[in-house]
Amino acid sequence: MQVIKYMFQPHGDDRGQLVALEEFRDIPFQIKRVYYMYDTVPDVVRGHHAHKVLEQILICIHGSCKIRLDNGIEKKVVPLEKPYEGLYVANNMWREMYDFSPDAVLMVLASELYDESDYIRDYDEFKKYVKENQSDGG
């Protein structure tokens, strides 16, 4: 499984730092939805789902957290610890977000508007979906 991380260009001076993100320049898709998680309860795991179409960039803009990615064949854990790095999460990828620092703010940029029918919330159903939709190259 290939993990794709984007390192965004911080712009700063003695006043502080700024990161600007533009669709199709810094983000590989049109941004149709933005949301963020904060005040996450210790030991909680968020996510537990995949999407059929939607793509995402996850940015821990404050604090840190870990992302467990699962493509149905292999799993990888990716730490997010810097406000200028973003993790690309493709469609057909199971994701779980966990180990949030007490001050963590995880921002998500999504390629689609919210659509419950795009979610796969059962892991066995996800495995079946991935197997049925595998390309010839696997």
Side-chain angles (χ1 to χ4, degrees), residues 20-125:
L21 303 174
E22 298 179 13
E23 55 193 20
F24 301 117
R25 274 192 155 156
D26 308 289
I27 306 301
F29 50 76
Q30 181 181 15
I31 302 166
K32 293 189 179 176
R33 186 167 179 244
V34 177
Y35 61 94
Y36 52 92
M37 296 169 234
Y38 64 98
D39 286 345
T40 305
V41 177
D43 301 322
V44 76
V45 179
R46 304 286 309 255
H48 295 285
H49 66 269
H51 291 278
K52 299 171 188 170
V53 175
L54 181 134
E55 302 168 82
Q56 297 175 321
I57 297 282
L58 280 57
I59 307 167
C60 198
I61 58 175
H62 197 267
S64 63
C65 66
K66 292 179 183 157
I67 314 299
R68 182 178 300 113
L69 298 177
D70 179 344
N71 64 5
I73 298 167
E74 63 180 309
K75 299 177 185 181
K76 286 198 176 171
V77 172
V78 182
L80 288 178
E81 303 166 328
K82 298 175 182 78
Y84 55 82
E85 68 181 0
L87 174 65
Y88 174 74
V89 182
N91 58 347
N92 299 334
M93 182 76 67
W94 190 264
R95 80 279 325 269
E96 297 173 0
M97 295 81 78
Y98 67 102
D99 198 17
F100 290 87
S101 64
D103 59 344
V105 179
L106 180 63
M107 182 173 70
V108 180
L109 309 177
S111 66
E112 305 297 326
L113 299 175
Y114 177 82
D115 177 2
E116 182 60 34
S117 68
D118 186 56
Y119 282 73
I120 304 171
R121 297 186 184 273
D122 177 85
Y123 187 73
D124 291 332
E125 182 183 328

